[in-house]
Amino acid sequence: FRQASALFRELAMPFPMAVALLEHGSWLAGTGAHAEAAPLLEAAAEVFASLEARPWLDRLERVPGWATLSA
């Protein structure tokens, strides 16, 4: 996940970068590593919001613990 998001950032591809961040953050949240997941999910949320990618923001909201992480 780290390599993918770094490569997409380097290639100036914000949408796939945000997807990689979301997937990584979702996986971490699913393992209970909420503190590690929070910055990844927040970064993904910022990109999705700037792109007005509502379906991806909806998916983000379904990540376990996101409601408490984003508060």
Side-chain angles (χ1 to χ4, degrees), residues 35-68:
E36 286 183 67
L40 301 174
L41 297 172
E42 289 168 4
E46 287 179 23
V47 173
F48 292 141
S50 72
L51 297 173
E52 298 180 13
R54 186 71 239 168
W56 288 91
L57 289 168
D58 293 343
R59 183 171 175 195
L60 181 77
E61 291 172 7
R62 293 190 299 271
V63 171
W66 172 247
T68 57

Side-chain angles (χ1 to χ4, degrees), residues 2-43:
R2 287 184 183 107
Q3 287 179 329
S5 59
L7 180 60
F8 290 134
R9 181 176 283 119
E10 183 180 322
L11 295 172
M13 299 176 72
F15 179 75
M17 179 194 70
V19 171
L21 291 169
L22 171 60
E23 294 297 331
H24 190 183
S26 296
W27 176 74
L28 287 169
T31 66
H34 297 289
E36 286 183 67
L40 301 174
L41 297 172
E42 289 168 4

